[in-house]
Amino acid sequence: MDTAVEVIGQEELDSAWIERSVLFQIKRSQSLLARRFQTRFAPFGVTPSEYGVLLLIATNPGRKQTEIADALGIQRANFVPLINALERRLLTERRPAPQDRRSNALYLTPAGEAFVEKICQAEARFEAECTAQLGGREAREAFLLLLSRLSI
């Protein structure tokens, strides 16, 4: 039986078109990878959004909240509760921005720096598995290039 056809009761379901759909394949991959992320990072109690925020703050300490939110495509109304949660966990802190005291600059706390180091180690293992599934480093780079073209 063709892999694109599944039997439901007595009727065959033709899924060939959807299996060749770029949109569907991206959505399916995103869902599967999100579940794998949740499984892998459950011990850390971190969501993909929190992970992204922590990494951007780690590599860009002192940047304004709005810059971090914009870089990740998180609406400002959703970003504030996210940062509040990270602050409650003592991973981040807000300080007045040096150039604009009306804005907050974001920093990792010492506990946040240690936490980011741990999650980066877990992410490196996860990334290595994904790279292997793609067929190696060159395939990974080609894949990222193709995805970036869809983001324009």
Side-chain angles (χ1 to χ4, degrees):
M1 181 180 289
D2 184 6
T3 58
V5 177
E6 297 178 27
V7 176
I8 299 178
Q10 297 295 333
E11 300 176 28
E12 291 183 353
L13 178 66
D14 182 0
S15 61
W17 186 342
I18 202 161
E19 293 294 327
R20 297 195 38 79
S21 164
V22 171
L23 178 63
F24 177 76
Q25 291 301 327
I26 289 172
K27 177 60 181 147
R28 182 193 314 195
S29 294
Q30 186 275 331
S31 295
L32 293 171
L33 287 169
R35 281 195 295 257
R36 285 174 57 193
F37 179 96
Q38 289 169 345
T39 300
R40 284 294 178 81
F41 289 83
F44 302 104
V46 67
T47 67
S49 295
E50 291 169 336
Y51 176 80
V53 168
L54 289 167
L55 285 184
L56 274 182
I57 295 171
T59 55
N60 301 279
R63 298 304 287 259
K64 292 192 269 185
Q65 285 184 196
T66 54
E67 293 175 295
I68 301 292
D70 290 346
L72 293 169
I74 300 173
Q75 294 180 355
R76 291 178 184 139
N78 297 330
F79 191 75
V80 172
L82 196 153
I83 284 296
N84 288 344
L86 292 172
E87 277 191 324
R88 280 192 299 276
R89 292 176 65 184
L90 305 176
L91 299 174
T92 62
E93 63 182 356
R94 287 178 259 213
R95 300 179 202 157
Q99 301 84 1
D100 181 1
R101 297 253 180 229
R102 296 170 295 159
S103 298
N104 288 315
L106 299 174
Y107 297 87
L108 294 179
T109 64
E113 290 173 2
F115 185 76
V116 167
E117 190 174 311
K118 288 179 189 174
I119 61 174
C120 282
Q121 290 170 2
E123 194 272 340
R125 290 187 296 273
F126 185 72
E127 180 85 13
E129 290 173 16
C130 290
T131 298
Q133 282 184 288
L134 288 171
R137 189 171 265 326
E138 286 182 24
R140 176 190 178 277
E141 295 305 316
F143 179 67
L144 289 174
L145 176 64
L146 292 171
L147 284 176
S148 72
R149 290 179 184 169
L150 292 175
S151 301
I152 296 174

